[in-house]
Structure formats: C-alpha cells, structure tokens
Amino acid sequence: MEMNTEPRVVTTPTSYIIEELGSYVDAREPELDSGSDTDSALGGMSLRSSNFTVESELYRHIEENGRTYHRYKHGQYPLPNDALEQDRLEFQHRLLRMTIDGKLFVSPLDTDRPINVLDVATGTGIWAVEFADEYPQSTVIGTDLSPIQPQYVPTNCSFRIEDAEDPWTFDDLKFDLIHGRVLLSCFCSPKTVFASAFQALKPGGYLELRDPIFPFRYASPPPEDCALVKWNNMIVEASTKAGRPWTNGAYYKQWMEEIGFVDIVERREFAPMSPWAKGQRNKVLSVWVQKNVLMGLEAMSMALFTRVLGMEKEQVKELLVAVKADIENKRIHCYSEGVLVYGRKPGGDS
C-alpha cells in the first residue's frame, strides 16, 4: 500500500489545522537541529501544487513581463493578480489559518450577535467568504485594487474595488472587526489606513493585523555570496524606494498606540525556511512556508526589481534561480519573522 506523506489537514468548514503543527503564534525563534538527518521528522513529506479554480475576472488587467497586474491605480501594488498568484494567495490562506489553530482571527470578538466585518486588501476574497460562511450573522465586506474575487459568494458577503489609502466611503456603517494581513506591500502610509480603520470601528471594535517583517533572519551566519541575502537586501531597497517599505510591520503596535487603540496585543511569529530547525512543528511548518515563498518568489521580485531597480526580466529570473537554491539549502539557516497584532477602539461593552 502506498503511504500518503501529505501533511494531515482537517478541511471541515470550521477547521484548517495541520495536526502536527498546532499554533504558530508566540513561537520561539527556531534553534538549529544538530541531528544528522533533518528530513527524518518529515517522513519524506512533500506538497502537491495548489489546485484552485480562478473565478471570472471583472476587468481587463495590465500585462507586464509575462504576468498581469491590477488596472485600477496601476503600479501601486507591486505583486501580480494572475492565476499563479491567486493560487498562491489561497495556499497562503490555508497556511495562515493552520498556524493559528484553524481560526480566521484571534481578537476577543463576540460573534454570537450580528456584526459588521471589513477585510482590507482582501485579495481573492477567501478570508471574507469563509468568515461570512462560518458566521452567518455577520455582514462582511472585502476591499481591494484587483477585481479577482469570486462571482458567487454568500449573501452576507460583498466586495468593493477601493484603495484603503483614499478616504473611506462607508458612510454611517461602522465595523466590529477590521482585518488585514500580508499588507506589507500595499500602502505608502499604513498608519493612515489604521487611522481610517479607527474612525470606521464601532466603540469596542477591533483592528487585527498580521504581516511578515523583512528582511529574513539567520540562526547562523549565511555564506558571504548568499543569493538569498542579496535578494532580501534588494527587496528592502526596492520597496523602500517605491515608498512601501516591507519593514513596516515592526511599527504596527506603536502606530496603533499613537492612534488611540487600547488593550493592544502583539505577538511575534517565527518560521524556518527549510527543515533545519529543531522540533517536529518547525520541520512541518518549514515545508509550508518554503512552498509559499517559492510560489511567490517571482511575484514578489519582478515588478519591484524591473520598475524600481532597473533590472531586465532575464536578470531577475537568473537571480531567482540562485535564490531558490539557497531557500532549499538546509545549510542556510534562514527564518522569517512576522507580527500578529490587534487592538480595541475605546468604548463599547468591552
């Protein structure tokens, strides 16, 4: 009998949990596994490619270097919106749910009553759709620059093509939860968006954010000629020159405090990029994290490096071959840092 080596995933409507993984929130920084067989805990595990259906696109997109990008406010968001990237976003959604015990959010929100929820930079809309499904008393709105959300959604879910850095247009509608994740490449002024969220929340409502923080970190010094280190530095340089630094997540808690949020909880998250770290959880987690990064490597790089750093398409592709090899190299002890933070608007019953 052929053994199934896929990670065991519970995919009921209310649970997205890797049984071997558990919660990834508040994880300690990974430690190097000194054992000689770092693959043994994985049991030969691998991941099949994501296989999600792309729903109808409402508008024509801009084609550039073989990828497509949003037409509305073209150039503002540097990642593509094509089928490859939509597959990755939905894979990433699975990973992010798995790493907080299958939950969609961690804020202490009362969901036993009708609530209004906003998902900023909703992408494919999968978070908003699943929230609407799992909490049918809620009313959920997702906003994004790209019209790549599904055509058929729960009746309590809707989408708008909007820029969250513009004045918000919800009139008198106030929200109980405003959610945003992987926003690092979205905004020139995240603090302005958080301030708009503060104004749009009901008293007692929550803003919850989750983002990686660049550059990657290393548990031991990487090789001097490490392409992964070079790529990280280039990402930080290009995103900063573009006015959207991928380092902003480190300041989310501070900005929320300055805006007026209270009861703020910040949790740092750490994830190894390959199975070099101690512990079953880290080894399983690394498979998923590595897959997500490799799926998005070109998407994260191409527009920033060609538009901002002046590289040619083929130069970018050549660099990424070496970066991919470094990401897969267990002798390079790379890991990512992320932040999950939520805070409450004063007032209400909380």
Side-chain angles (χ1 to χ4, degrees), residues 13-83:
T14 58
S15 183
Y16 273 68
I17 303 174
I18 305 177
E19 294 176 6
E20 300 95 331
L21 182 56
S23 179
Y24 156 54
V25 173
D26 273 341
R28 293 176 296 177
E29 295 188 56
E31 299 178 26
L32 178 62
D33 189 341
S34 58
S36 59
D37 184 7
T38 57
D39 285 331
S40 60
L42 292 172
M45 180 176 57
S46 63
L47 289 178
R48 299 191 185 98
S49 298
S50 182
N51 187 29
F52 293 91
T53 301
V54 180
E55 301 290 348
S56 61
E57 296 177 345
L58 305 181
Y59 303 103
R60 291 172 53 239
H61 304 306
I62 303 293
E63 186 170 347
E64 181 181 318
N65 291 317
R67 307 298 297 264
T68 65
Y69 297 83
H70 63 94
R71 179 175 294 274
Y72 177 61
K73 296 198 173 185
H74 173 58
Q76 188 159 302
Y77 178 70
L79 273 67
N81 61 5
D82 51 25

Coordinates of all heavy atoms in Angstrom, one line a residue, residues 13-83:
P13 N -15.5 22.9 7.3 CA -15.7 24.4 7.1 C -15.2 25.2 8.2 O -15.0 26.4 8.1 CB -17.3 24.4 7.0 CG -17.7 23.1 6.5 CD -16.7 22.1 7.1
T14 N -15.0 24.6 9.4 CA -14.6 25.5 10.6 C -13.2 25.1 11.0 O -12.8 25.6 12.1 CB -15.6 25.3 11.8 OG1 -15.6 23.9 12.1 CG2 -17.0 25.8 11.4
S15 N -12.4 24.3 10.3 CA -11.1 24.0 10.8 C -10.1 23.8 9.7 O -10.4 23.1 8.7 CB -11.2 22.7 11.6 OG -10.0 22.3 12.1
Y16 N -9.0 24.5 9.8 CA -7.9 24.3 8.9 C -6.6 24.1 9.8 O -5.9 25.0 10.0 CB -7.6 25.6 8.1 CG -8.4 25.8 6.8 CD1 -9.8 26.0 6.9 CD2 -7.8 25.8 5.6 CE1 -10.5 26.2 5.7 CE2 -8.5 26.0 4.4 CZ -9.8 26.2 4.5 OH -10.5 26.4 3.3
I17 N -6.4 22.9 10.2 CA -5.4 22.6 11.2 C -4.4 21.5 10.7 O -4.9 20.5 10.3 CB -5.9 22.2 12.5 CG1 -6.9 23.3 13.0 CG2 -4.8 22.0 13.5 CD1 -7.6 22.9 14.3
I18 N -3.1 21.8 10.6 CA -2.2 20.7 10.5 C -2.0 20.1 11.9 O -1.6 20.7 12.8 CB -0.8 21.2 10.0 CG1 -0.9 22.1 8.8 CG2 0.2 20.1 9.8 CD1 0.4 22.7 8.3
E19 N -2.4 18.8 12.0 CA -2.4 18.2 13.3 C -1.0 18.2 14.0 O -0.9 18.3 15.2 CB -3.0 16.8 13.2 CG -4.4 16.8 12.8 CD -4.9 15.3 12.6 OE1 -4.2 14.4 12.9 OE2 -6.1 15.2 12.1
E20 N 0.0 18.0 13.1 CA 1.4 18.0 13.7 C 1.9 19.4 14.1 O 2.8 19.5 14.8 CB 2.4 17.4 12.7 CG 2.1 16.0 12.2 CD 1.3 16.0 11.0 OE1 0.5 17.0 10.7 OE2 1.4 15.0 10.2
L21 N 1.2 20.4 13.7 CA 1.7 21.8 13.8 C 1.2 22.5 15.0 O 2.0 23.0 15.8 CB 1.4 22.6 12.5 CG 1.9 24.0 12.4 CD1 3.4 24.0 12.6 CD2 1.6 24.6 11.1
G22 N -0.1 22.6 15.2 CA -0.6 23.4 16.3 C -0.4 24.9 16.0 O -0.2 25.3 14.9
S23 N -0.5 25.6 17.1 CA -0.4 27.1 17.0 C 1.0 27.5 16.7 O 2.0 27.0 17.3 CB -0.9 27.7 18.3 OG -0.8 29.1 18.2
Y24 N 1.1 28.5 15.9 CA 2.4 29.1 15.5 C 2.5 30.5 16.1 O 3.6 31.1 16.1 CB 2.3 29.2 14.0 CG 3.2 30.1 13.2 CD1 4.5 30.2 13.3 CD2 2.6 30.9 12.2 CE1 5.3 31.1 12.5 CE2 3.3 31.7 11.4 CZ 4.7 31.8 11.5 OH 5.4 32.6 10.7
V25 N 1.5 31.0 16.7 CA 1.5 32.3 17.4 C 2.4 32.2 18.7 O 2.4 31.2 19.4 CB 0.1 32.8 17.8 CG1 0.2 34.0 18.6 CG2 -0.7 33.0 16.5
D26 N 3.2 33.2 18.9 CA 4.1 33.3 20.0 C 5.2 32.2 20.0 O 5.7 31.8 21.0 CB 3.3 33.2 21.3 CG 2.9 34.6 21.8 OD1 3.4 35.6 21.4 OD2 2.0 34.6 22.6
A27 N 5.5 31.7 18.8 CA 6.5 30.7 18.7 C 7.9 31.3 19.1 O 8.1 32.4 18.9 CB 6.6 30.1 17.3
R28 N 8.7 30.4 19.7 CA 10.1 30.9 19.9 C 10.9 30.9 18.7 O 10.6 30.2 17.7 CB 10.8 30.0 21.0 CG 10.1 30.0 22.3 CD 10.8 29.0 23.3 NE 10.5 27.7 22.8 CZ 11.0 26.6 23.4 NH1 11.7 26.7 24.5 NH2 10.7 25.4 23.0
E29 N 12.0 31.7 18.6 CA 12.9 31.7 17.5 C 13.5 30.3 17.3 O 13.8 29.6 18.3 CB 14.0 32.7 17.7 CG 13.5 34.1 17.7 CD 14.6 35.1 17.6 OE1 15.4 35.1 16.7 OE2 14.7 36.0 18.6
P30 N 13.5 29.8 16.1 CA 14.0 28.4 15.8 C 15.4 28.2 16.2 O 16.3 29.1 16.1 CB 13.7 28.2 14.3 CG 13.7 29.6 13.8 CD 13.2 30.5 14.8
E31 N 15.7 27.0 16.7 CA 17.1 26.6 17.0 C 17.6 25.5 16.1 O 16.8 24.7 15.6 CB 17.2 26.0 18.5 CG 16.8 27.0 19.5 CD 16.8 26.4 20.9 OE1 17.6 25.4 21.1 OE2 16.1 26.9 21.8
L32 N 18.9 25.6 15.7 CA 19.4 24.6 14.8 C 19.3 23.2 15.3 O 19.7 22.9 16.5 CB 20.9 25.0 14.5 CG 21.7 24.1 13.6 CD1 21.0 24.1 12.2 CD2 23.1 24.5 13.5
D33 N 18.8 22.3 14.4 CA 18.8 20.9 14.8 C 20.2 20.3 14.5 O 20.6 20.3 13.3 CB 17.7 20.2 13.9 CG 17.5 18.8 14.4 OD1 18.3 18.2 15.0 OD2 16.4 18.2 14.0
S34 N 20.9 19.8 15.5 CA 22.2 19.3 15.3 C 22.2 17.8 14.8 O 23.2 17.2 14.5 CB 23.0 19.3 16.6 OG 22.3 18.6 17.6
G35 N 21.0 17.2 14.7 CA 20.9 15.9 14.2 C 21.4 15.7 12.8 O 21.3 16.7 12.0
S36 N 21.8 14.6 12.4 CA 22.4 14.4 11.0 C 21.3 14.2 10.0 O 21.5 14.5 8.8 CB 23.3 13.2 11.0 OG 22.6 12.0 11.4
D37 N 20.1 13.8 10.4 CA 19.0 13.5 9.4 C 17.9 14.5 9.7 O 16.9 14.2 10.4 CB 18.6 12.1 9.5 CG 17.5 11.7 8.4 OD1 17.3 12.6 7.5 OD2 17.0 10.6 8.5
T38 N 18.0 15.7 9.1 CA 16.9 16.7 9.3 C 15.7 16.3 8.6 O 14.6 17.0 8.8 CB 17.4 18.1 8.9 OG1 17.8 18.0 7.5 CG2 18.6 18.5 9.7
D39 N 15.7 15.4 7.7 CA 14.5 15.0 6.9 C 13.7 13.9 7.6 O 12.5 13.7 7.3 CB 14.8 14.5 5.5 CG 15.3 15.6 4.6 OD1 14.8 16.7 4.8 OD2 16.1 15.3 3.7
S40 N 14.2 13.3 8.7 CA 13.5 12.2 9.3 C 12.2 12.5 9.8 O 11.2 11.7 9.8 CB 14.4 11.5 10.4 OG 14.7 12.5 11.4
A41 N 12.1 13.7 10.4 CA 10.8 14.1 11.0 C 9.7 14.4 10.0 O 8.5 14.4 10.3 CB 11.0 15.3 12.0
L42 N 10.2 14.6 8.8 CA 9.2 14.9 7.7 C 8.6 13.7 7.1 O 7.6 13.7 6.4 CB 9.9 15.8 6.6 CG 10.3 17.2 7.0 CD1 11.1 17.8 5.9 CD2 9.0 18.0 7.3
G43 N 9.3 12.5 7.2 CA 8.8 11.3 6.6 C 8.7 11.4 5.1 O 7.8 10.8 4.5
G44 N 9.6 12.1 4.4 CA 9.5 12.3 3.0 C 8.4 13.1 2.5 O 8.0 13.1 1.4
M45 N 7.8 13.9 3.4 CA 6.6 14.7 3.1 C 6.9 15.8 2.0 O 8.0 16.4 2.0 CB 6.2 15.5 4.4 CG 5.0 16.3 4.2 SD 4.5 17.0 5.8 CE 6.0 17.9 6.3
S46 N 6.0 15.9 1.2 CA 6.0 17.0 0.1 C 4.6 17.5 0.0 O 3.7 17.0 0.5 CB 6.6 16.4 -1.2 OG 5.7 15.5 -1.7
L47 N 4.5 18.6 -0.8 CA 3.2 19.3 -1.0 C 2.9 19.2 -2.5 O 3.8 19.6 -3.3 CB 3.2 20.7 -0.6 CG 3.2 20.9 0.9 CD1 3.3 22.4 1.2 CD2 2.0 20.3 1.6
R48 N 1.7 18.8 -2.8 CA 1.3 19.0 -4.2 C 0.9 20.4 -4.5 O 0.7 21.2 -3.7 CB 0.0 18.1 -4.5 CG 0.2 16.6 -4.2 CD -1.0 15.8 -4.7 NE -0.8 14.4 -4.3 CZ -1.4 13.9 -3.3 NH1 -2.2 14.6 -2.5 NH2 -1.3 12.6 -3.0
S49 N 0.9 20.7 -5.8 CA 0.6 22.1 -6.2 C -0.8 22.4 -5.8 O -1.7 21.6 -5.9 CB 0.8 22.3 -7.7 OG 2.1 22.1 -8.1
S50 N -1.1 23.7 -5.5 CA -2.4 24.1 -5.2 C -3.3 24.0 -6.5 O -2.8 24.2 -7.6 CB -2.4 25.6 -4.7 OG -3.6 26.0 -4.4
N51 N -4.6 23.7 -6.3 CA -5.4 23.5 -7.5 C -6.7 24.2 -7.3 O -7.8 23.6 -7.3 CB -5.6 22.0 -7.6 CG -6.3 21.6 -8.9 OD1 -6.2 22.4 -9.9 ND2 -7.1 20.5 -8.9
F52 N -6.7 25.5 -7.2 CA -7.9 26.3 -7.0 C -8.4 26.8 -8.3 O -7.7 27.1 -9.2 CB -7.7 27.4 -6.1 CG -7.4 27.0 -4.7 CD1 -6.1 26.8 -4.3 CD2 -8.4 26.8 -3.7 CE1 -5.8 26.4 -3.0 CE2 -8.1 26.4 -2.5 CZ -6.8 26.2 -2.1
T53 N -9.7 26.9 -8.5 CA -10.3 27.4 -9.7 C -10.3 28.9 -9.7 O -10.7 29.6 -8.7 CB -11.8 26.9 -9.8 OG1 -11.8 25.5 -9.9 CG2 -12.4 27.5 -11.1
V54 N -9.9 29.6 -10.7 CA -9.9 31.0 -10.8 C -11.3 31.5 -11.3 O -11.8 31.0 -12.4 CB -8.8 31.5 -11.8 CG1 -8.9 33.0 -11.9 CG2 -7.5 31.0 -11.4
E55 N -12.0 32.3 -10.6 CA -13.3 32.8 -10.9 C -13.1 33.9 -12.0 O -12.1 34.3 -12.3 CB -14.0 33.3 -9.7 CG -14.2 32.2 -8.6 CD -15.2 31.2 -9.0 OE1 -15.9 31.3 -10.0 OE2 -15.2 30.1 -8.3
S56 N -14.3 34.2 -12.6 CA -14.3 35.2 -13.7 C -13.7 36.5 -13.2 O -13.9 37.0 -12.1 CB -15.7 35.4 -14.1 OG -16.5 36.0 -13.1
E57 N -12.9 37.2 -14.1 CA -12.3 38.5 -13.9 C -13.3 39.5 -14.4 O -13.8 39.4 -15.5 CB -11.0 38.6 -14.5 CG -10.0 37.6 -14.0 CD -8.6 37.6 -14.7 OE1 -8.6 38.2 -15.8 OE2 -7.7 37.1 -14.2
L58 N -13.5 40.6 -13.6 CA -14.5 41.6 -14.0 C -13.9 42.7 -14.9 O -14.6 43.3 -15.6 CB -15.0 42.2 -12.7 CG -15.6 41.3 -11.7 CD1 -16.1 42.1 -10.5 CD2 -16.7 40.4 -12.3
Y59 N -12.6 42.8 -14.9 CA -12.0 43.9 -15.7 C -10.7 43.3 -16.3 O -10.1 42.3 -15.9 CB -11.6 45.1 -14.8 CG -12.7 45.7 -14.1 CD1 -12.9 45.5 -12.7 CD2 -13.6 46.5 -14.7 CE1 -13.9 46.0 -12.0 CE2 -14.7 47.1 -14.0 CZ -14.8 46.8 -12.7 OH -15.8 47.4 -12.0
R60 N -10.3 43.9 -17.4 CA -9.0 43.6 -18.0 C -7.9 44.1 -17.2 O -8.0 45.1 -16.5 CB -8.9 44.2 -19.4 CG -9.9 43.7 -20.4 CD -9.9 44.5 -21.7 NE -8.5 44.7 -22.2 CZ -7.9 45.8 -22.4 NH1 -8.6 46.9 -22.1 NH2 -6.7 45.9 -22.9
H61 N -6.8 43.3 -17.1 CA -5.6 43.7 -16.3 C -4.5 44.1 -17.2 O -4.5 44.0 -18.4 CB -5.2 42.5 -15.5 CG -6.3 42.0 -14.6 ND1 -7.0 42.8 -13.7 CD2 -6.9 40.7 -14.5 CE1 -8.0 42.0 -13.1 NE2 -7.9 40.8 -13.5
I62 N -3.4 44.6 -16.6 CA -2.3 45.1 -17.3 C -1.2 44.0 -17.4 O -0.9 43.4 -16.3 CB -1.6 46.3 -16.6 CG1 -2.6 47.4 -16.4 CG2 -0.4 46.8 -17.3 CD1 -3.1 48.1 -17.7
E63 N -0.7 43.7 -18.6 CA 0.3 42.6 -18.7 C 1.7 43.2 -18.7 O 1.9 44.2 -19.4 CB 0.0 41.8 -20.0 CG 1.0 40.6 -20.1 CD 0.6 39.7 -21.2 OE1 -0.5 39.8 -21.8 OE2 1.4 38.8 -21.5
E64 N 2.6 42.6 -18.0 CA 3.9 43.1 -17.8 C 4.8 42.0 -17.5 O 4.6 41.2 -16.5 CB 3.9 44.2 -16.7 CG 5.3 44.8 -16.5 CD 5.2 45.9 -15.4 OE1 4.2 46.6 -15.3 OE2 6.1 45.9 -14.5
N65 N 5.9 41.7 -18.3 CA 6.9 40.7 -18.1 C 6.2 39.3 -17.9 O 6.6 38.5 -17.0 CB 7.7 41.0 -16.8 CG 8.6 42.2 -17.1 OD1 9.3 42.3 -18.2 ND2 8.7 43.1 -16.2
G66 N 5.2 39.1 -18.6 CA 4.5 37.8 -18.6 C 3.6 37.5 -17.4 O 3.0 36.5 -17.3
R67 N 3.3 38.6 -16.6 CA 2.4 38.5 -15.5 C 1.3 39.6 -15.7 O 1.5 40.5 -16.5 CB 3.1 38.7 -14.1 CG 4.3 37.8 -13.9 CD 3.9 36.3 -13.8 NE 3.0 36.0 -12.8 CZ 3.4 35.5 -11.6 NH1 4.7 35.4 -11.3 NH2 2.5 35.2 -10.7
T68 N 0.2 39.5 -15.0 CA -0.8 40.5 -15.1 C -0.9 41.2 -13.7 O -0.8 40.6 -12.7 CB -2.2 40.0 -15.5 OG1 -2.7 39.1 -14.5 CG2 -2.1 39.3 -16.8
Y69 N -1.3 42.5 -13.8 CA -1.4 43.4 -12.6 C -2.7 44.2 -12.7 O -3.3 44.3 -13.7 CB -0.2 44.4 -12.6 CG 1.2 43.6 -12.5 CD1 1.8 43.1 -13.6 CD2 1.8 43.5 -11.2 CE1 3.0 42.4 -13.5 CE2 3.0 42.8 -11.1 CZ 3.6 42.3 -12.2 OH 4.8 41.6 -12.1
H70 N -3.0 44.7 -11.5 CA -4.3 45.5 -11.4 C -4.3 46.7 -12.3 O -3.2 47.4 -12.5 CB -4.5 45.9 -10.0 CG -3.5 46.8 -9.4 ND1 -3.7 48.2 -9.4 CD2 -2.3 46.6 -8.8 CE1 -2.6 48.8 -8.9 NE2 -1.8 47.8 -8.5
R71 N -5.4 47.0 -12.9 CA -5.6 48.2 -13.8 C -5.9 49.4 -13.0 O -5.4 50.5 -13.2 CB -6.6 47.9 -14.9 CG -6.9 49.1 -15.8 CD -7.8 48.8 -16.9 NE -7.3 47.7 -17.8 CZ -6.5 48.0 -18.8 NH1 -6.1 49.2 -19.1 NH2 -6.0 47.0 -19.6
Y72 N -6.8 49.3 -12.0 CA -7.2 50.4 -11.2 C -6.0 50.9 -10.3 O -5.4 50.1 -9.6 CB -8.3 50.0 -10.2 CG -8.8 51.1 -9.3 CD1 -9.3 52.3 -9.7 CD2 -8.7 50.9 -7.9 CE1 -9.7 53.3 -8.8 CE2 -9.1 51.8 -7.0 CZ -9.6 53.0 -7.5 OH -10.0 54.0 -6.6
K73 N -5.5 52.1 -10.5 CA -4.4 52.6 -9.9 C -3.1 51.8 -10.2 O -2.4 51.4 -9.3 CB -4.6 52.8 -8.4 CG -5.7 53.8 -8.0 CD -5.6 54.3 -6.6 CE -6.6 55.4 -6.3 NZ -6.4 56.0 -5.0
H74 N -2.9 51.5 -11.4 CA -1.9 50.6 -11.9 C -0.5 51.1 -11.3 O -0.2 52.3 -11.3 CB -1.8 50.6 -13.4 CG -0.6 49.9 -14.0 ND1 -0.4 48.6 -13.7 CD2 0.4 50.3 -14.8 CE1 0.7 48.2 -14.3 NE2 1.2 49.2 -14.9
G75 N 0.3 50.1 -10.9 CA 1.6 50.4 -10.4 C 1.7 50.6 -8.9 O 2.8 50.6 -8.3
Q76 N 0.5 50.7 -8.2 CA 0.5 51.0 -6.8 C 0.9 49.7 -6.0 O 1.7 49.8 -5.0 CB -0.8 51.5 -6.4 CG -0.9 52.0 -4.9 CD -2.0 53.0 -4.7 OE1 -2.2 54.0 -5.4 NE2 -2.9 52.6 -3.8
Y77 N 0.4 48.6 -6.4 CA 0.6 47.3 -5.7 C 1.6 46.5 -6.6 O 1.2 46.3 -7.8 CB -0.7 46.6 -5.4 CG -0.5 45.2 -4.8 CD1 -0.1 45.1 -3.5 CD2 -0.8 44.1 -5.5 CE1 0.0 43.9 -2.8 CE2 -0.7 42.8 -4.9 CZ -0.2 42.7 -3.6 OH -0.1 41.5 -3.0
P78 N 2.7 46.1 -6.1 CA 3.7 45.5 -7.0 C 3.6 44.0 -7.3 O 4.4 43.5 -8.1 CB 5.0 45.8 -6.2 CG 4.6 45.7 -4.8 CD 3.3 46.3 -4.7
L79 N 2.7 43.3 -6.7 CA 2.5 41.9 -7.0 C 1.5 41.7 -8.0 O 0.5 42.5 -8.1 CB 2.2 41.1 -5.7 CG 3.4 40.6 -4.9 CD1 4.2 41.8 -4.3 CD2 3.0 39.7 -3.8
P80 N 1.6 40.6 -8.8 CA 0.6 40.4 -9.9 C -0.7 39.9 -9.3 O -0.9 39.6 -8.1 CB 1.3 39.3 -10.7 CG 2.2 38.6 -9.8 CD 2.7 39.6 -8.8
N81 N -1.7 39.8 -10.2 CA -3.0 39.3 -9.8 C -3.5 38.1 -10.7 O -4.7 37.8 -10.7 CB -4.1 40.4 -9.8 CG -4.3 41.0 -11.2 OD1 -3.7 40.5 -12.2 ND2 -5.1 42.1 -11.3
D82 N -2.6 37.5 -11.4 CA -2.9 36.4 -12.3 C -3.2 35.1 -11.6 O -3.2 35.0 -10.4 CB -1.8 36.2 -13.4 CG -0.4 36.1 -12.7 OD1 -0.4 35.6 -11.6 OD2 0.6 36.4 -13.4
A83 N -3.5 34.1 -12.4 CA -3.9 32.8 -11.8 C -2.8 32.2 -10.9 O -3.1 31.6 -9.9 CB -4.2 31.8 -13.0

